[in-house]
Coordinates of all heavy atoms in Angstrom, one line a residue:
I1 N 0.7 -1.2 0.0 CA 0.0 0.0 0.0 C 0.8 1.3 0.0 O 0.5 2.3 -0.7 CB -0.9 0.0 1.3 CG1 -2.1 -1.1 1.1 CG2 -1.7 1.4 1.5 CD1 -3.0 -0.9 -0.1
G2 N 2.0 1.2 0.7 CA 2.9 2.4 0.7 C 3.4 2.7 -0.5 O 3.4 3.9 -1.0
Q3 N 3.8 1.8 -1.4 CA 4.3 2.0 -2.8 C 3.2 2.4 -3.6 O 3.4 3.5 -4.5 CB 4.9 0.9 -3.4 CG 5.4 0.9 -4.8 CD 6.5 2.0 -4.8 OE1 7.4 2.1 -3.9 NE2 6.7 2.9 -5.9
T4 N 1.9 1.9 -3.5 CA 0.9 2.3 -4.3 C 0.4 3.7 -4.1 O 0.1 4.5 -4.9 CB -0.3 1.4 -4.2 OG1 0.1 0.1 -4.3 CG2 -1.5 1.5 -5.1
M5 N 0.5 4.2 -2.7 CA 0.1 5.4 -2.2 C 1.0 6.5 -2.8 O 0.7 7.6 -3.4 CB 0.2 5.7 -0.7 CG -1.0 5.0 0.0 SD -2.7 5.8 -0.4 CE -2.2 7.5 -0.1
K6 N 2.3 6.1 -2.8 CA 3.3 7.0 -3.7 C 2.9 7.3 -5.0 O 2.9 8.5 -5.5 CB 4.7 6.4 -3.6 CG 5.8 7.3 -3.9 CD 7.2 6.8 -3.8 CE 8.3 7.7 -4.2 NZ 8.2 8.0 -5.7
E7 N 2.6 6.3 -5.7 CA 2.2 6.3 -7.1 C 0.9 7.1 -7.3 O 0.8 8.0 -8.2 CB 2.0 4.9 -7.8 CG 3.3 4.1 -7.8 CD 2.9 2.8 -8.2 OE1 1.8 2.3 -8.5 OE2 3.9 1.9 -8.2
L8 N 0.0 7.1 -6.4 CA -1.3 7.7 -6.4 C -1.0 9.2 -6.4 O -1.5 10.1 -7.0 CB -2.3 7.3 -5.5 CG -3.6 7.9 -5.4 CD1 -4.4 7.8 -6.6 CD2 -4.4 7.5 -4.1
M9 N -0.2 9.5 -5.2 CA 0.3 10.9 -5.1 C 0.9 11.6 -6.3 O 0.8 12.7 -6.6 CB 1.1 11.0 -3.7 CG 0.2 10.8 -2.6 SD 1.1 10.9 -1.0 CE 1.4 12.7 -0.9
D10 N 1.9 10.8 -6.8 CA 2.7 11.2 -8.0 C 1.6 11.7 -9.1 O 1.9 12.7 -9.8 CB 3.7 10.3 -8.4 CG 4.8 10.1 -7.6 OD1 4.9 11.0 -6.7 OD2 5.5 9.1 -7.6
E11 N 0.6 10.8 -9.4 CA -0.2 11.0 -10.3 C -1.1 12.4 -10.1 O -1.3 13.3 -10.8 CB -1.3 9.9 -10.5 CG -2.3 10.0 -11.5 CD -3.4 8.9 -11.6 OE1 -3.1 7.9 -10.8 OE2 -4.3 9.0 -12.5
F12 N -1.4 12.6 -8.9 CA -2.3 13.6 -8.4 C -1.3 15.0 -8.7 O -1.8 15.9 -9.1 CB -2.7 13.6 -7.0 CG -3.2 14.9 -6.5 CD1 -4.4 15.3 -6.8 CD2 -2.6 15.5 -5.5 CE1 -5.1 16.4 -6.4 CE2 -3.1 16.7 -5.0 CZ -4.3 17.2 -5.5
Q13 N -0.2 14.9 -8.2 CA 0.8 16.1 -8.4 C 1.0 16.3 -9.7 O 1.2 17.5 -10.2 CB 2.0 15.8 -7.6 CG 2.0 15.7 -6.1 CD 3.3 15.3 -5.4 OE1 4.2 14.8 -6.0 NE2 3.3 15.4 -4.1
K14 N 1.1 15.4 -10.7 CA 1.2 15.7 -12.1 C 0.1 16.4 -12.6 O 0.2 17.3 -13.4 CB 1.4 14.3 -12.8 CG 1.8 14.5 -14.3 CD 1.8 13.1 -15.0 CE 3.0 12.1 -14.4 NZ 3.1 10.8 -15.1
K15 N -1.1 15.9 -12.4 CA -2.3 16.5 -12.7 C -2.5 17.9 -12.2 O -3.0 18.9 -12.8 CB -3.6 15.7 -12.3 CG -3.7 14.4 -13.2 CD -5.0 13.7 -12.8 CE -5.1 12.3 -13.8 NZ -5.2 12.5 -15.2
A16 N -2.1 18.1 -10.9 CA -2.2 19.4 -10.3 C -1.4 20.4 -10.9 O -1.7 21.5 -11.3 CB -1.9 19.2 -8.7
K17 N -0.1 20.0 -11.3 CA 0.9 20.9 -11.9 C 0.4 21.4 -13.2 O 0.4 22.5 -13.7 CB 2.2 20.3 -12.0 CG 3.4 21.0 -12.6 CD 4.7 20.3 -12.5 CE 5.7 21.2 -12.9 NZ 7.1 20.5 -13.0
K18 N -0.3 20.4 -14.0 CA -0.8 20.7 -15.3 C -1.9 21.8 -15.3 O -1.9 22.6 -16.3 CB -1.4 19.4 -15.9 CG -2.0 19.5 -17.4 CD -2.4 18.1 -17.8 CE -2.9 18.3 -19.2 NZ -3.6 17.0 -19.6
H19 N -2.5 21.8 -14.2 CA -3.6 22.7 -14.1 C -3.4 24.0 -13.3 O -4.2 24.8 -13.0 CB -4.9 22.1 -13.5 CG -5.5 21.1 -14.3 ND1 -6.2 21.5 -15.4 CD2 -5.6 19.8 -14.3 CE1 -6.8 20.3 -16.2 NE2 -6.3 19.3 -15.5
Q20 N -2.0 24.3 -13.0 CA -1.6 25.4 -12.3 C -2.0 26.6 -13.0 O -2.2 27.8 -12.5 CB -0.1 25.3 -11.7 CG 0.0 24.5 -10.6 CD 1.4 24.4 -10.3 OE1 2.3 24.8 -11.0 NE2 1.7 23.8 -9.0
K21 N -1.8 26.6 -14.5 CA -1.8 27.8 -15.2 C -3.1 27.7 -16.1 O -3.4 26.7 -16.8 CB -0.7 27.9 -16.2 CG 0.6 28.2 -15.4 CD 1.9 28.4 -16.4 CE 3.1 28.7 -15.7 NZ 4.2 28.8 -16.6
V22 N -4.0 28.7 -15.8 CA -5.2 28.9 -16.6 C -5.2 30.1 -17.2 O -5.7 31.1 -16.6 CB -6.4 28.6 -15.6 CG1 -7.7 28.7 -16.5 CG2 -6.4 27.2 -15.0
E23 N -4.7 30.4 -18.4 CA -4.3 31.6 -19.0 C -5.2 32.0 -20.2 O -5.2 33.0 -20.7 CB -2.8 31.7 -19.5 CG -1.9 31.5 -18.2 CD -0.5 31.4 -18.7 OE1 -0.3 31.2 -19.9 OE2 0.4 31.7 -17.9
S24 N -6.1 31.1 -20.6 CA -6.9 31.4 -21.8 C -8.3 30.8 -21.5 O -8.5 29.9 -20.6 CB -6.3 30.9 -23.1 OG -6.3 29.4 -23.0
I25 N -9.1 31.1 -22.5 CA -10.5 30.5 -22.4 C -10.4 28.9 -22.7 O -11.1 28.2 -22.1 CB -11.4 31.2 -23.6 CG1 -11.7 32.8 -23.2 CG2 -12.9 30.5 -23.5 CD1 -12.3 32.9 -21.9
A26 N -9.5 28.6 -23.6 CA -9.3 27.2 -23.9 C -8.9 26.5 -22.6 O -9.2 25.4 -22.3 CB -8.3 27.1 -24.9
D27 N -7.9 27.1 -21.9 CA -7.3 26.4 -20.7 C -8.5 26.3 -19.6 O -8.7 25.3 -18.9 CB -6.3 27.4 -20.0 CG -4.9 27.3 -20.9 OD1 -4.7 26.4 -21.6 OD2 -4.1 28.2 -20.7
M28 N -9.3 27.5 -19.6 CA -10.4 27.4 -18.6 C -11.5 26.3 -18.9 O -11.8 25.6 -18.0 CB -11.2 28.8 -18.5 CG -12.2 29.0 -17.3 SD -12.9 30.6 -17.4 CE -11.2 31.7 -17.0
K29 N -11.8 26.2 -20.3 CA -12.7 25.3 -20.7 C -12.1 23.8 -20.4 O -12.8 23.0 -20.0 CB -13.0 25.4 -22.2 CG -13.8 24.3 -22.7 CD -14.1 24.5 -24.3 CE -15.0 23.5 -24.7 NZ -15.4 23.6 -26.1
N30 N -10.8 23.6 -20.7 CA -10.2 22.3 -20.5 C -10.2 21.9 -18.9 O -10.5 20.7 -18.5 CB -8.8 22.3 -20.9 CG -8.1 21.0 -20.7 OD1 -8.7 19.9 -21.1 ND2 -6.9 21.0 -20.2
F31 N -10.0 22.9 -18.1 CA -10.0 22.7 -16.6 C -11.4 22.4 -16.1 O -11.5 21.4 -15.4 CB -9.5 24.0 -15.9 CG -9.6 23.8 -14.3 CD1 -8.7 23.2 -13.7 CD2 -10.4 24.4 -13.5 CE1 -8.7 23.1 -12.4 CE2 -10.8 24.3 -12.3 CZ -9.6 23.6 -11.6
V32 N -12.4 23.1 -16.6 CA -13.8 22.8 -16.2 C -14.2 21.3 -16.6 O -14.8 20.6 -15.9 CB -14.7 23.9 -16.8 CG1 -16.2 23.4 -16.7 CG2 -14.5 25.2 -16.2
E33 N -13.7 21.0 -17.8 CA -14.1 19.7 -18.3 C -13.5 18.6 -17.5 O -14.1 17.4 -17.4 CB -13.8 19.5 -19.7 CG -14.6 20.4 -20.8 CD -14.1 20.3 -22.1 OE1 -13.1 19.8 -22.4 OE2 -14.8 20.9 -23.1
T34 N -12.3 18.8 -17.0 CA -11.6 17.7 -16.2 C -11.6 17.9 -14.8 O -11.2 17.0 -14.1 CB -10.2 17.9 -16.5 OG1 -9.5 19.0 -16.3 CG2 -9.8 17.4 -18.1
Y35 N -12.3 18.9 -14.4 CA -12.5 19.2 -12.9 C -13.0 18.1 -12.2 O -12.5 17.7 -11.0 CB -13.2 20.6 -12.7 CG -13.2 21.0 -11.2 CD1 -12.1 21.4 -10.5 CD2 -14.4 20.8 -10.5 CE1 -12.1 21.7 -9.2 CE2 -14.5 21.1 -9.1 CZ -13.3 21.6 -8.5 OH -13.4 21.9 -7.2
P36 N -14.2 17.6 -12.6 CA -14.8 16.5 -11.8 C -13.8 15.3 -11.4 O -13.6 14.7 -10.3 CB -15.9 15.9 -12.5 CG -16.4 17.2 -13.4 CD -15.1 17.8 -13.7
L37 N -13.1 14.8 -12.6 CA -12.0 13.8 -12.3 C -10.9 14.2 -11.4 O -10.5 13.6 -10.5 CB -11.5 13.4 -13.7 CG -10.3 12.4 -13.7 CD1 -10.9 11.2 -13.1 CD2 -9.9 12.1 -15.0
F38 N -10.4 15.5 -11.6 CA -9.5 16.0 -10.7 C -9.9 16.2 -9.3 O -9.1 15.8 -8.5 CB -9.1 17.6 -11.2 CG -8.1 18.3 -10.5 CD1 -6.6 17.8 -10.6 CD2 -8.4 19.3 -9.7 CE1 -5.8 18.6 -10.0 CE2 -7.4 20.0 -9.0 CZ -6.1 19.7 -9.1
K39 N -11.1 16.7 -9.1 CA -11.7 16.7 -7.7 C -11.7 15.3 -7.2 O -11.5 15.1 -5.8 CB -13.0 17.4 -7.8 CG -13.6 17.6 -6.4 CD -15.0 18.4 -6.6 CE -15.5 18.7 -5.1 NZ -16.9 19.4 -5.2
K40 N -12.2 14.4 -7.8 CA -12.4 12.9 -7.4 C -11.0 12.4 -7.1 O -10.8 11.8 -6.1 CB -12.9 12.0 -8.6 CG -13.2 10.7 -8.1 CD -13.7 9.8 -9.2 CE -13.9 8.4 -8.8 NZ -14.4 7.5 -9.9
L41 N -10.0 12.7 -7.8 CA -8.7 12.3 -7.5 C -8.1 12.8 -6.3 O -7.5 12.2 -5.5 CB -7.7 12.4 -8.7 CG -6.2 11.9 -8.7 CD1 -6.1 10.4 -8.4 CD2 -5.5 12.4 -9.8
S42 N -8.4 14.2 -6.2 CA -7.9 14.8 -5.0 C -8.6 14.3 -3.7 O -7.8 14.1 -2.6 CB -8.4 16.4 -5.1 OG -8.2 17.1 -3.9
G43 N -9.9 14.1 -3.8 CA -10.6 13.5 -2.6 C -10.0 12.1 -2.3 O -9.8 11.6 -1.2
T44 N -9.7 11.3 -3.3 CA -9.1 9.8 -3.1 C -7.8 10.0 -2.4 O -7.5 9.1 -1.5 CB -9.0 9.1 -4.5 OG1 -10.3 9.1 -5.0 CG2 -8.4 7.8 -4.3
V45 N -6.9 10.9 -3.0 CA -5.6 10.9 -2.4 C -5.7 11.4 -0.8 O -5.0 10.8 -0.1 CB -4.7 12.1 -3.3 CG1 -3.5 12.3 -2.4 CG2 -4.5 11.4 -4.5
S46 N -6.5 12.4 -0.6 CA -6.7 12.9 0.7 C -7.1 11.8 1.7 O -6.6 11.6 2.8 CB -7.5 14.2 0.8 OG -7.1 15.1 0.0

């Protein structure tokens, strides 16, 4: 479980870093479309 938790956190950090910059309408649209999955992953990690 320890190793698997590390992989889960790495995946979350990768997705979080990807969404740090929302500089255009396209970025905003992409963020909104993926937000439910992002939020779900955030909740799972926590």
Side-chain angles (χ1 to χ4, degrees):
I1 291 295
Q3 181 59 41
T4 311
M5 282 300 309
K6 184 178 182 302
E7 294 170 2
L8 182 64
M9 291 184 69
D10 288 345
E11 181 184 355
F12 172 70
Q13 289 170 353
K14 186 186 298 183
K15 289 184 180 293
K17 186 175 181 180
K18 181 180 178 182
H19 290 287
Q20 280 178 351
K21 293 184 179 181
V22 181
E23 298 176 340
S24 66
I25 297 296
D27 290 340
M28 190 177 297
K29 183 180 178 181
N30 183 49
F31 178 79
V32 170
E33 287 175 351
T34 59
Y35 182 75
L37 180 62
F38 180 73
K39 185 176 181 181
K40 180 180 177 182
L41 183 59
S42 172
T44 298
V45 170
S46 299

